[in-house]
Amino acid sequence: GLDETADVTVYDEPCPPGRVAVVIGAEGEGMARLTRERCDHLLSLPMRGRVGSLNASASLAAVLYAYVVPSRR
């Protein structure tokens, strides 16, 4: 799951093998506590500047990019 309070970023953790589901919470509010507790891994998406959060589709695009690009090198 993508959570701003996670200690590990999407750039620090390689994509797990096999099928992956990326869980993203609501814009600005994040995931509910029970949803976070059900996730196998929690990762954050580091952001610079004054941006507090991205919309859900932009967050997913960033996560997929972080997972796909390293595997193509």
Side-chain angles (χ1 to χ4, degrees):
L2 197 57
D3 186 70
E4 67 180 10
T5 63
D7 295 329
V8 180
T9 74
V10 295
Y11 304 111
D12 298 330
E13 188 76 16
C15 184
R19 294 181 178 195
V20 175
V22 179
V23 180
I24 298 175
E27 298 170 29
E29 297 175 19
M31 288 187 285
R33 179 185 56 83
L34 291 176
T35 305
R36 272 194 310 278
E37 290 174 3
R38 294 276 186 183
C39 291
D40 294 324
H41 304 280
L42 291 176
L43 304 171
S44 65
L45 183 61
M47 292 183 280
R48 293 184 179 171
R50 294 197 244 169
V51 177
S53 67
L54 298 174
N55 85 12
S57 64
S59 297
L60 178 60
V63 170
L64 295 177
Y65 182 82
Y67 279 171
V68 170
V69 169
S71 67
R72 297 213 169 201
R73 292 183 182 159

